[in-house]
Amino acid sequence: MAEDRKKETLETSETLPFIEKPFVISEKLKDSAEDGTGRGEESEDTSCGFWIFRGPFMQRFATEKMYVILYGLAGCVMTMTFAYFNATITTLEKRYKIPTKTSGIISVGNDISTMLTAALLGYYAGNGHRPRWMGIVSRLGLLTIVAFCLLTSSLHFLYGPGEDALKLTKEFGQVNETLARQERDKKLCQTSAGGCIQEVGQWVPQVFLFVAQLISGVGQALFYTLGIAYMDDNATKSKTPAMLSMSTFLRMLGPAIGYSLAALCLRLYIEPTLEPLIGREDPRWMGAWWLGWLVLAAMMLIAAFLLFMFPRELPSSRKRRLQLKQYERRQSLPIKERSFSDMMKTVRRLSKNKVYVYNTSASILYFFGYMAYWIFTPKYIETQYRQSAAMATMAAGTVALGFSAAGVLISGYVISKYRPSARSMACWNAIVDFVTVAGILCYVAIGCEGSDRLNSLSTLSTGNSCSASCHCDYVLYAPVCSPDNITYISACHAGCTERTKDALGRTIYTGCQCMDSSSLFSGTESQFAVDGTCPVDCFNEFLVFLAVMCFLKLVGASSKSTNLLIALRCMSPEDKTFALGLGSMAASLLGFIPSPIFFGWLIDNYCLVWGKTCSNKGNCWLYDTKSLRYALNLTAASFIFMGGFLNISVWYHAKNLKIFDEEDQPKGNSNNKEVELKTMDSKSQEK
C-alpha cells in the first residue's frame, strides 16, 4: 500500500505542474541553506552603498519609494540633456551653418543607437538578474550621457565662437580697425563679385554632434528598457500606476529645467567675455550654448553616483524571488542558452497580440506627428512670432512642460483611485489624439500677419535686378529697415553705398538706390535704411499660441501612464522586458528617426534666404512663415489623426485585458501555496 501510494503521488506530480516533485524540495532546502550560510552574497545585493559608504544607516533607503525617487531623478537629469540640445538647435545651426534637415539627422543619432540596442538588451538582459544590469546602467549608461555632454561642449573649445560672432563685438573693431572697416564695407553695394565664404572643416562639428548623440542613445536604452521593467517587477500591480506616474513626473521636470538652463545660457553671448554690438532680439545673436553642457555633465555624474549607491535588488522583492526561483528555472532559458531563434519565436508571439500591435502602432504615429513640436518648437516660435531664442526656449520648455508634469500627476492619481478598465484607458488615449489634432489645427489659425508680411516683402526686396547688380550673393545676413517698414537682407541688397552714425549712435545706410522700386516714398531723402530688422509686434499672437500649447501638453501627458499600462499588461510576464525593448526599437525605426529628418526637410523647403558658403548653402535665415505654418501643422495633425483610429482598435480588442489585481486575493497558509497560485496563473496566461 505504501509503495502504491508513493507511486500514485509521483505520477500525479508529473501531470499537475503546481505540485512539487522531490527534487524541488531539495532545491528549496538548498535555497534556504544559501539564505543562511551564503547570506553574505545576498546581503550585498540588497544593501545600499558601496566601499566605505556602506553602513547600517544606509539600509533604510533600500525601499521601493526611494528607488522611484532615485530612478526619477536620474531620468530627470537625462531628459535635461535632450531638452537642452533641442533648445540650442537654432544656435548650433547659426554657429556651424547647418541646414534644418541636417540638424534633424543629428538629433536622431540617439534614437538610432537606442533602436539597435533596446530590443537585444530587453531580451538577453531582461530575463537575467535585472538589478545587476541596473548596476551596470548606473556605471555605464549614465556615464555615456556624461560623455555625450562633454563631447558636445568640446566643439566650442576646439573651434571657438566663430568669426561671424566675433565680428559683431566691440572688441573686434578695437583690436583691428582695418579688418573691421573691411567687414563693414562688405555689406555695401559692390561693383564686382566678392569671394565666397570659406568654412574650414565645417563637416567635422556635424560629425561630432552626431557621434555624441549615438553615444547617448546606448545609455538611454539601458536606463529606460530595464529600469521600467525592474520597477514593475518590484511592486504589486496596484502600486505600479502610482510609481510610474511619480517617476514620469520627476523625469518630466527634466525638460523644463533643461529648457530653463538653455534660456539662461542663451541670454549670454557666445563669448561671455566680449561685448556684443547687437541685442538678443537680433536674429544674428548667438548665445553661450556650450556653457550648459558643462553644468549637465556635473549633474549627471552626481546622478550616476546616487544610483550607484542603490542596491542591486530590493529586500522586499528578494523573498518573492527565492519563492519563485524554481519556477523561473523551469520557465526561462538561461542567458547563455538563449538564441536568435528563441528571440524570433517571441517576436512572432508578440506579433499575434493585437492589443500590443495596435497600441504600439498608435504610439508610433503619435510620436511621428508630435516629434516636430518636441524638437522644432523653439525654431517655430522664433520664426512665426519674432521672439528671441531665450524667450522661445523658456516658453517651449519651462512653461509648457510644467503643464505636462501636471497632466502626468493628475492622470496617475485618477488611475490609482478609480482603477479604470483597459477599455477606458484605450478610449481616453483615442480622445487625447483627436483633441491634439484639434489643437494643432488651431495652430494654423494662430499666425502673425506682421511677420508674414515682413517675410514676403523681404523676399521681394531681394529679388530685383538692382540688388543683383550689387553682387550680394555671399554677403552675410545683416538686415536693415527702410522708411516704409520693409526689411532688406543687408545694406547691399538695398543698394546702399554709404554708412554713417546718427545722434543716437545707430548705423544709418544712405544712397540706397534699390529702394525706389518698392518704396512708398519718393526722392533721395527716402533712400536710407537703419541697421536691424523692422519692428514687428507678434506678442499677443504668441501668448495665444502658448495658451493652446500648454493645454495640449496637459491633455497629451495624461495619456502617458494609460498607454504604458496597456503595454505592460497586454503580454505575459516573461515577454515584458523584451516587448518594451522591441516597442522602443519599432518606435525609433518608424517614428523617432524618420520624423525629425522628414520635418527638417519640410521646414527647409520653405526657406526664403539661405546663408551661402563655398561648400553648401549653410543655414536658413528667413522662412515663408505662412506656408510653413500650414504645411507643418497639417502634416503633423494627419499622422496623429491616424493614430487615434488605431487607439479605437485597441479599445475594441482590450475587452478582456486585466490591468489591476483583484481586490481580495485568496491567501494560502504557506509560501508553497502562493507559488502554486502564481504558477497556475502563469500557465493559464501562456495558453
Side-chain angles (χ1 to χ4, degrees), residues 186-251:
K186 288 181 182 179
K187 300 177 183 178
L188 300 178
C189 183
Q190 305 292 323
T191 57
S192 60
C196 62
I197 302 171
Q198 295 288 343
E199 287 291 335
V200 180
Q202 183 181 355
W203 59 272
V204 178
Q206 299 178 21
V207 173
F208 257 70
L209 294 172
F210 184 76
V211 171
Q213 289 285 334
L214 281 175
I215 293 174
S216 68
V218 177
Q220 182 182 6
L222 282 166
F223 187 80
Y224 290 125
T225 303
L226 301 180
I228 293 177
Y230 173 53
M231 183 190 304
D232 187 55
D233 287 346
N234 284 273
T236 59
K237 291 184 177 181
S238 60
K239 291 183 179 180
T240 301
M243 295 178 68
L244 287 175
S245 297
M246 178 56 66
S247 64
T248 304
F249 169 74
L250 292 174
R251 287 203 310 271

Side-chain angles (χ1 to χ4, degrees), residues 75 134 220 242 262 299 339 364 401 437 452 464 512 530 543 646-647:
M134 282 302 298
Q220 182 182 6
M299 295 180 66
S339 64
I364 290 173
L401 289 176
V437 171
D452 295 342
N464 56 55
C512 305
V530 181
L543 291 180
L646 286 177
N647 273 318

Side-chain angles (χ1 to χ4, degrees), residues 333-347:
L333 290 171
I335 295 179
K336 63 181 180 180
E337 296 181 12
R338 293 189 176 275
S339 64
F340 181 77
S341 61
D342 296 325
M343 184 173 66
M344 294 310 298
K345 291 179 182 179
T346 307
V347 172

Side-chain angles (χ1 to χ4, degrees), residues 151-451:
L151 190 60
T152 305
S153 64
S154 66
L155 281 177
H156 177 77
F157 302 100
L158 292 174
Y159 290 94
E163 289 188 10
D164 294 347
L166 294 176
K167 291 172 183 176
L168 296 173
T169 60
K170 184 178 180 180
E171 289 77 3
F172 180 79
Q174 293 176 348
V175 172
N176 196 326
E177 180 61 30
T178 303
L179 288 178
R181 187 184 304 109
Q182 292 176 355
E183 186 61 32
R184 289 191 292 266
D185 291 340
K186 288 181 182 179
K187 300 177 183 178
L188 300 178
C189 183
Q190 305 292 323
T191 57
S192 60
C196 62
I197 302 171
Q198 295 288 343
E199 287 291 335
V200 180
Q202 183 181 355
W203 59 272
V204 178
Q206 299 178 21
V207 173
F208 257 70
L209 294 172
F210 184 76
V211 171
Q213 289 285 334
L214 281 175
I215 293 174
S216 68
V218 177
Q220 182 182 6
L222 282 166
F223 187 80
Y224 290 125
T225 303
L226 301 180
I228 293 177
Y230 173 53
M231 183 190 304
D232 187 55
D233 287 346
N234 284 273
T236 59
K237 291 184 177 181
S238 60
K239 291 183 179 180
T240 301
M243 295 178 68
L244 287 175
S245 297
M246 178 56 66
S247 64
T248 304
F249 169 74
L250 292 174
R251 287 203 310 271
M252 293 190 70
L253 293 178
I257 302 173
Y259 276 106
S260 300
L261 177 63
L264 180 63
C265 293
L266 293 178
R267 288 180 180 274
L268 303 174
Y269 199 58
I270 189 171
E271 187 59 51
T273 59
L274 303 180
E275 181 181 351
L277 298 174
I278 57 176
R280 299 188 185 97
E281 293 75 17
D282 194 298
R284 294 169 293 173
W285 175 275
M286 285 185 280
W289 63 270
W290 54 273
L291 188 60
W293 291 114
L294 302 179
V295 178
L296 291 171
M299 295 180 66
M300 185 57 69
L301 279 175
I302 296 175
F305 176 78
L306 291 177
L307 198 60
F308 184 83
M309 298 282 286
F310 204 79
R312 295 178 177 178
E313 183 178 14
L314 291 175
S316 59
S317 67
R318 176 169 171 259
K319 182 178 179 180
R320 181 177 63 180
R321 179 177 66 83
L322 291 176
Q323 291 173 345
L324 298 178
K325 187 174 182 180
Q326 180 56 41
Y327 169 71
E328 291 175 351
R329 184 180 293 117
R330 294 180 188 174
Q331 299 297 321
S332 300
L333 290 171
I335 295 179
K336 63 181 180 180
E337 296 181 12
R338 293 189 176 275
S339 64
F340 181 77
S341 61
D342 296 325
M343 184 173 66
M344 294 310 298
K345 291 179 182 179
T346 307
V347 172
R348 286 193 293 270
R349 184 165 60 249
L350 290 174
S351 65
K352 297 177 182 179
N353 188 328
K354 294 183 179 180
V355 175
Y356 174 77
V357 172
Y358 286 131
N359 188 62
T360 303
S361 301
S363 300
I364 290 173
L365 286 173
Y366 181 86
F367 291 147
F368 194 101
Y370 215 78
M371 277 293 289
Y373 304 102
W374 285 339
I375 296 179
F376 299 120
T377 294
K379 175 190 268 303
Y380 185 87
I381 294 175
E382 289 181 49
T383 57
Q384 293 286 334
Y385 306 109
R386 299 289 172 176
Q387 301 299 311
S388 65
M391 176 62 75
T393 299
M394 182 66 70
T398 307
V399 178
L401 289 176
F403 285 83
S404 296
V408 170
L409 285 181
I410 294 173
S411 64
Y413 171 78
V414 172
I415 293 172
S416 298
K417 183 174 182 179
Y418 296 101
R419 294 170 172 262
S421 64
R423 272 197 157 187
S424 299
M425 292 184 179
C427 180
W428 176 248
N429 291 342
I431 292 174
V432 168
D433 284 349
F434 294 131
V435 170
T436 302
V437 171
I440 292 176
L441 294 180
C442 292
Y443 288 168
V444 178
I446 307 173
C448 181
E449 183 179 354
S451 179

